[in-house]
Amino acid sequence: MSFDLVFFGGTGDLTWRKLMPALFQAFRHGKLPEGGRILAVARDDQSDERYREWLKERFREVDAGKRPSDEEFERFASLLHYKRMDLSQPEHYQGLKDWLDARNADTVVLYLATSPYLFTQICQQLGAVGLNHDKVRVVLEKPLGHDLASAQEINRAVRGVFAESQAFRIDHYLGKPSVQNLMALRFGNALFEPLWRRESIANIQITLAERLGVGTRGAFYDGTGALRDMIQNHALQLLTMIAMEPPSANDADAIRDEKLKVLRSLKPFTPDSVARDVVRGQYRAGNIEGVVVPGYLDEVKVPPESHCETFVALRTEVNNWRWAGVPFYLRTGKRLAARDAQIVVNFRPVPHKIFPGGSQPNRLVIKLQPEDGLELQLLAQKGTGQGEQLTPVSLDLDFDKAFAAQRVGAYERLLLDAIAGRLNLFVRSDEQEQAWRWVEPILDAWAADPSGPRPYTSGSWGPAAASALVARDGFSWAEEQ
């Protein structure tokens, strides 16, 4: 199958840090279909050869295990091409079409790795020159809008040019192997389904924690914040995969229909419930692994009086038959105590204790990063004598060790799926808009609240109010148990 993959924003950070290394891994592993061309599009005036040399230098900055040897890069570079484009000039789109039409590949993938404010203009210009025929797919990188209105505007522009089946809205968390195993865990095994409901589960916690601060992205991050950057997309997508009903088939629309039902079932926020059930924080100076780090307000290009949140913890419920009354806790933040992404399913305690001492309820920990695996926490007897207390034990599965073959990374998987036309791991427009619809009352309540975010020390687990949020229901975060 011949394909042309075009990166708008071909010299941007996303392209050289994430997308090109992912494509190289697919090439190295023999997974990239033959007959492909990769075209980088940007404003810089350079040739194919100069772009290849520039990218080779950038590859020196990626993880050592993902860097190509000189011989590997030479072979990979033969796929790379460069075209200068000013995205505001209609004639440049015609030049792109002529370049693509000269070969007439089986598939054309147009990846918009640009600022989202350019999405509408790019899509309209692509449609004007006829680059929206049935061989074309368009990939839209997040953030997909700043709020519901801007997301709807982007979607209207995309729908005005492309069919929904041609639009691939990317959320790289959905490409992680560990997230794929959420589907396998739930719908490929009979063990958990009878327990996957309110009668057996006490609460579910989703944590997406980072040790890093905003670094040099202060100007961008200050206009975004943790709620938009992580909760509205990544965390909510994980919640839908945990809470969804079994789809009728492993089919894109069947899966996305069930995810949408979960989003529509989420308990809506009001100004009062935002004040009660949502905690926002902003990191101050502190210590990370023995290194003193600055506070958010001292970061580069961050306004000195910024109220931007770098931490969010919230409580919600899924108002349906399966999950009624079960709290879901979502938490994300920067400069926290660990880099840790995980989902913790806390089961209810046994209804009648017959063993002495306390009895810790069972837990299933789904590890997303930095580890990739499952840990089932149970209780057992050591067998050392009469009347002994139960002792916690774990069944711990490390997927990287269990599967010896090279596993496919998130962007690698999603790029290959876009080339193949598989939509299962991409977000449909109604899903995306419903997620914005759910978070907007939080944004509105914060805009009307002059108090701003609560401070927390870098290297901690966020404001103390986040612990109080969970303790109010008689529970605690996983690291506090």
Side-chain angles (χ1 to χ4, degrees):
M1 179 191 74
S2 62
F3 71 90
D4 284 330
L5 174 56
V6 181
F7 290 121
F8 291 83
T11 56
D13 275 12
L14 176 65
T15 299
W16 73 260
R17 287 184 188 277
K18 299 290 186 181
L19 303 179
M20 286 296 187
L23 278 176
F24 169 70
Q25 293 305 311
F27 175 81
R28 171 185 270 177
H29 301 152
K31 296 181 183 296
L32 197 65
E34 293 186 7
R37 294 187 304 179
I38 303 165
L39 176 65
V41 164
R43 293 174 64 104
D44 309 54
D45 191 7
Q46 55 183 317
S47 63
D48 289 357
E49 195 53 44
R50 283 179 57 194
Y51 181 77
R52 291 164 182 165
E53 291 172 3
W54 175 87
L55 186 63
K56 187 175 183 179
E57 285 299 311
R58 302 285 84 72
F59 265 111
R60 300 185 195 281
E61 300 182 38
V62 304
D63 293 342
K66 296 182 179 180
R67 290 179 204 157
S69 66
D70 288 344
E71 186 273 332
E72 284 178 319
F73 187 80
E74 284 301 312
R75 291 190 291 114
F76 179 64
S78 67
L79 308 180
L80 299 176
H81 302 270
Y82 180 85
K83 188 171 185 60
R84 181 182 176 276
M85 277 187 70
D86 181 338
L87 299 180
S88 66
Q89 300 300 314
E91 62 270 20
H92 287 201
Y93 291 85
Q94 185 60 52
L96 172 63
K97 184 175 187 299
D98 293 342
W99 189 87
L100 294 168
D101 286 351
R103 189 170 77 129
N104 192 28
D106 296 327
T107 300
V108 176
V109 179
L110 306 173
Y111 197 121
L112 309 193
T114 67
S115 218
Y117 77 86
L118 292 172
F119 288 176
T120 297
Q121 174 183 308
I122 294 173
C123 287
Q124 289 170 346
Q125 295 289 357
L126 291 171
V129 298
L131 272 177
N132 61 340
H133 53 79
D134 57 8
K135 292 183 180 181
V136 174
R137 293 157 194 153
V138 62
V139 181
L140 304 166
E141 179 64 50
K142 85 172 193 78
L144 289 166
H146 191 73
D147 52 20
L148 177 60
S150 58
Q152 289 173 326
E153 181 182 353
I154 291 171
N155 285 331
R156 278 194 297 269
V158 174
R159 280 194 296 267
V161 178
F162 299 98
E164 182 66 39
S165 60
Q166 293 175 282
F168 290 66
R169 295 169 188 83
I170 200 165
D171 184 328
H172 72 270
Y173 257 71
L174 297 184
K176 290 178 178 290
S178 48
V179 177
Q180 298 312 298
N181 271 309
L182 288 179
M183 295 286 287
L185 173 75
R186 289 205 54 201
F187 308 127
N189 299 282
L191 178 63
F192 290 109
E193 178 56 28
L195 306 176
W196 215 257
R197 56 194 66 248
R198 66 189 184 280
E199 291 87 354
S200 300
I201 293 176
N203 68 84
I204 293 177
Q205 303 175 9
I206 299 174
T207 295
L208 305 175
E210 300 177 87
R211 275 184 169 166
L212 296 175
V214 297
T216 59
R217 299 171 66 239
F220 163 78
Y221 193 87
D222 202 68
T224 304
L227 185 71
R228 291 182 175 96
D229 192 43
M230 299 295 285
I231 297 293
Q232 184 272 336
N233 40 69
H234 302 327
L236 281 186
Q237 284 295 316
L238 294 176
L239 188 156
T240 61
M241 295 182 79
I242 281 290
M244 66 190 280
E245 294 299 314
S248 59
N250 190 18
D251 164 81
D253 278 332
I255 292 169
R256 297 190 293 183
D257 285 346
E258 296 302 335
K259 289 163 64 182
L260 179 61
K261 289 177 186 177
V262 174
L263 291 171
R264 288 176 171 166
S265 299
L266 286 175
K267 187 176 181 179
F269 281 105
T270 65
D272 287 342
S273 65
V274 170
R276 184 184 65 245
D277 294 337
V278 183
V279 176
R280 60 171 167 160
Q282 187 184 88
Y283 66 82
R284 298 292 187 260
N287 189 296
I288 302 283
E289 293 187 309
V291 177
V292 176
V293 295
Y296 178 74
L297 297 179
D298 299 318
E299 299 280 19
V300 178
K301 297 182 180 178
V302 171
E305 302 299 324
S306 172
H307 279 186
C308 176
E309 80 286 356
T310 62
F311 175 94
V312 177
L314 62 84
R315 179 194 189 278
T316 189
E317 295 180 18
V318 179
N319 290 331
N320 64 18
W321 191 268
R322 180 186 291 266
W323 295 112
V326 176
F328 286 73
Y329 304 106
L330 278 57
R331 175 176 61 164
T332 187
K334 291 188 174 295
R335 290 290 190 215
L336 296 181
R339 175 177 177 259
D340 188 21
Q342 64 177 19
I343 301 167
V344 179
V345 180
N346 290 298
F347 291 92
R348 296 191 184 279
V350 294
H352 174 62
K353 293 195 296 184
I354 62 172
F355 296 98
S359 71
Q360 179 179 312
N362 302 138
R363 288 198 300 175
L364 175 66
V365 182
I366 303 165
K367 303 175 184 178
L368 307 178
Q369 68 179 30
E371 298 174 75
D372 175 9
L374 296 172
E375 182 181 348
L376 182 59
Q377 299 178 3
L378 307 170
L379 296 172
Q381 283 189 324
K382 292 181 179 179
T384 56
Q386 294 293 326
E388 65 176 307
Q389 297 184 14
L390 298 182
T391 301
V393 294
S394 294
L395 301 175
D396 202 346
L397 174 61
D398 184 328
F399 287 131
D400 287 326
K401 292 179 180 177
F403 305 121
Q406 180 68 46
R407 305 183 75 203
V408 177
Y411 272 112
E412 182 182 348
R413 170 70 181 268
L414 293 170
L415 284 164
L416 291 173
D417 279 2
I419 292 169
R422 293 186 292 265
L423 281 159
N424 294 36
L425 303 181
F426 295 85
V427 181
R428 205 167 57 192
S429 61
D430 50 3
E431 278 185 84
Q432 180 216 358
E433 291 179 12
Q434 184 61 33
W436 275 118
R437 195 169 284 113
W438 184 73
V439 303
E440 276 219 321
I442 304 175
L443 295 170
D444 292 342
W446 287 351
D449 179 7
S451 62
R454 301 168 187 262
Y456 65 95
T457 303
S458 292
S460 70
W461 278 104
S467 295
L469 173 73
V470 182
R472 194 176 66 221
D473 293 328
F475 304 124
S476 58
W477 292 106
E479 74 278 355
E480 298 171 345
Q481 295 177 11

